[in-house]
């Protein structure tokens, strides 16, 4: 009760005389979370080292992304299995051991890693390590709202992820909504950025599969609240689409992910194999320029009207003219 009173007093004070910014702009403070656009990175963890891997999506670390202004992060969680120690190791397991960080597959802090499909491709270590970096940023920047969009590659229970959130300390910032899922999948009363800051629940977490708020109330089911436009855009792209892709039911949700990244596609034995394009290709095609992003936004406006595109999502966000930050400011109607 006391916490609620403190929050009400703080919220009233901020509304009456807002002087401190929310996510960098005073104008955003009174807006509901679902009416704000955020700069987002695709496979945020997928950065060097090592260099020159075909699965890299970013050049900068998560720490640098935060410092640059990225406020939403797409993270893939994969079970990293240690190499067999029972004498059954083969050449595959030997190779796996070169890359594996796992020590105890039964310990969620050790087994839940940030990897790209498989930890053999790229392994950025335990989830808890990256969460600690982000929590430290949130400690130092108390007026910033952060969002996670988690792809649950290994089908973890949310209780498997919970220890990483708790151990890193970031769980204390996590938003757990009071509203329950509804059949309409939309029209929820999201708090304003001011309210999230006043309550110090500045981290919003979505997960695409097996989220269960009865188990972990702050890991929210993505498809209850979020739609994504197509992500499998194949190089070269002349016009990015903006129709609703996932979920496939065609029913709008409160939040929209604008996927603006591109894959190279090869076909082997009739199967498409998509790999991220390189930073050089992004630069050559100017995919991350404000001009390219603005054209995509205009396409989306013809589909979604005046709805806010909440998560503008790029690979190699730092390549180009800072288009991601300029477009987010345009969508939010604030000065760059």
């Amino acid at each position: 009760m006391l916490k609620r009173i403190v929050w009400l007093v703080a919220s009233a004070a901020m509304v009456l005389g807002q002087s401190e910014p929310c996510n960098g702009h005073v104008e955003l403070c009174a807006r509901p979370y679902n009416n704000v656009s955020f700069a987002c990175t695709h496979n945020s963890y997928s950065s060097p080292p090592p260099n020159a891997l075909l699965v890299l999506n970013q050049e900068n670390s998560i720490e640098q992304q935060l410092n640059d202004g990225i406020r939403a992060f797409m993270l893939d969680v994969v079970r990293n299995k240690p190499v067999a120690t029972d004498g059954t190791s083969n050449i595959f397991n030997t190779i796996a051991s070169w890359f594996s960080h796992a020590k105890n597959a039964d310990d969620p802090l050790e087994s839940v890693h940030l990897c790209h499909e498989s930890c053999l491709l790229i392994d950025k270590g335990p989830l808890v390590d990256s969460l600690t970096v982000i929590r430290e940023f949130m400690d130092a920047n108390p007026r910033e709202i952060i969002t996670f969009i988690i792809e649950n590659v290994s089908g973890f229970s949310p209780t498997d992820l919970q220890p990483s959130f708790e151990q890193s300390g970031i769980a204390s910032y996590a938003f757990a909504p009071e509203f329950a899922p509804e059949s309409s999948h939309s029209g929820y009363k999201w708090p304003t950025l001011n309210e999230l800051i006043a309550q110090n629940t500045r981290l919003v977490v979505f997960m695409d599969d097996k989220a269960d708020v009865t188990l972990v109330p702050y890991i929210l089911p993505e498809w209850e609240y979020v739609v994504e436009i197509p992500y499998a855009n194949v190089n070269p792209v002349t016009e990015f689409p903006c129709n609703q892709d996932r979920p496939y039911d065609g029913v709008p949700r409160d939040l929209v992910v604008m996927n603006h990244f591109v894959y190279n596609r090869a076909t082997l034995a009739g199967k498409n194999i998509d790999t991220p394009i390189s930073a050089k290709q992004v630069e050559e095609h100017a995919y991350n320029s404000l001009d390219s992003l603005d054209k995509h936004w205009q396409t989306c406006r013809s589909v979604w009207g005046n709805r806010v595109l909440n998560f503008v999502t790029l690979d190699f966000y730092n390549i180009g003219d800072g288009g991601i930050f300029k477009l987010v400011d345009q969508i939010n109607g604030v000065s760059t």
Side-chain angles (χ1 to χ4, degrees):
M1 182 65 180
L2 179 60
K3 183 179 179 181
R4 177 72 175 174
I5 293 171
V6 170
W7 168 68
L8 288 171
V9 172
S11 296
M14 286 187 283
V15 169
L16 290 172
Q18 183 66 48
S19 60
E20 293 186 275
C22 303
N23 275 39
H25 297 277
V26 171
E27 300 95 319
L28 301 181
C29 291
R31 296 186 193 175
Y33 171 79
N34 67 314
N35 199 33
V36 177
S37 184
F38 304 90
C40 179
T41 47
H42 172 233
N43 290 348
S44 310
Y45 58 88
S46 186
S47 64
N51 291 290
L53 285 179
L54 292 177
V55 294
L56 294 181
N57 299 91
Q58 306 298 332
E59 289 188 325
N60 293 338
S61 67
I62 285 177
E63 182 177 16
Q64 186 61 53
Q65 292 174 39
L66 285 162
N67 292 335
D68 288 345
I70 298 299
R71 294 294 177 265
F73 300 86
M74 289 188 171
L75 306 172
D76 293 4
V77 288
V78 179
R79 188 178 303 279
N80 190 32
K81 299 177 182 178
V83 176
T85 58
D86 58 0
T88 62
S89 182
N90 53 30
I91 186 63
F92 178 82
N93 281 335
T94 300
I95 295 173
S97 70
W98 301 343
F99 300 92
S100 176
H101 298 275
K103 298 176 183 177
N104 181 357
D106 295 324
D107 181 357
L109 293 176
E110 291 289 345
S111 63
V112 181
H113 278 222
L114 292 177
C115 302
H116 194 284
E117 295 296 334
S118 166
C119 293
L120 286 176
L121 296 174
I122 185 170
D123 184 356
K124 300 308 288 189
L127 172 64
V128 65
D129 293 349
S130 291
L131 296 188
T132 300
V133 169
I134 298 169
R135 191 267 302 159
E136 289 172 349
F137 175 87
M138 297 184 74
D139 288 347
N141 297 272
R143 300 197 63 79
E144 298 295 321
I145 284 82
I146 303 295
T147 300
F148 295 160
I149 301 174
I150 298 175
E151 183 176 349
N152 190 5
V153 177
S154 291
F156 290 110
S157 165
T159 57
D160 293 326
L161 273 59
Q162 188 175 20
S164 296
F165 279 82
E166 300 290 342
Q167 180 70 24
S168 66
I170 206 168
S172 64
Y173 289 130
F175 167 70
E178 295 180 359
F179 47 74
E182 298 180 7
S183 58
S184 64
H185 303 300
S186 62
Y188 296 104
K189 185 173 176 54
W190 293 91
T192 65
L193 298 199
N194 247 348
E195 290 168 341
L196 290 171
I197 290 168
Q199 293 177 311
N200 210 17
T201 53
R202 297 180 288 116
L203 174 68
V204 184
V205 181
F206 300 104
M207 189 163 71
D208 68 336
D209 184 39
K210 298 193 184 309
D212 185 341
V213 295
T214 66
L215 296 176
V216 181
Y218 54 79
I219 297 181
L220 311 182
E222 179 183 2
W223 307 129
E224 178 60 38
Y225 306 111
V226 182
V227 299
E228 294 195 16
I229 67 174
Y231 65 92
N233 304 300
V234 179
N235 190 48
V237 175
T238 55
E239 183 176 351
F240 285 88
C242 207
N243 56 290
Q244 179 171 327
D245 184 29
R246 298 179 295 175
Y248 305 115
D249 57 15
V251 178
R253 268 66 166 172
D254 281 351
L255 297 138
V256 181
V257 174
M258 174 180 155
N259 290 315
H260 189 90
F261 48 86
V262 181
Y263 290 94
N264 289 318
R265 174 167 291 176
T267 303
L268 183 64
K271 183 177 180 179
N272 292 329
I273 301 173
D274 293 345
T275 58
I277 67 171
S278 66
K280 183 178 180 181
Q281 288 176 296
V282 170
E283 187 170 21
E284 288 174 347
H285 291 277
Y287 286 134
N288 290 358
S289 67
L290 178 59
D291 181 62
S292 174
L293 285 159
D294 185 65
K295 287 178 180 176
H296 195 180
W297 181 36
Q298 297 307 323
T299 298
C300 289
R301 293 182 75 176
S302 70
V303 176
W304 296 95
N306 291 325
R307 283 200 53 182
V308 169
L309 301 178
N310 303 98
F311 307 107
V312 178
T313 308
L314 267 61
D315 285 339
F316 303 110
Y317 73 95
N318 58 304
I319 300 297
D321 58 3
I324 187 172
F325 303 110
K326 294 174 182 176
L327 182 70
V328 164
D329 285 348
Q330 273 186 226
I331 294 172
N332 285 330
V334 297
S335 58
T336 299

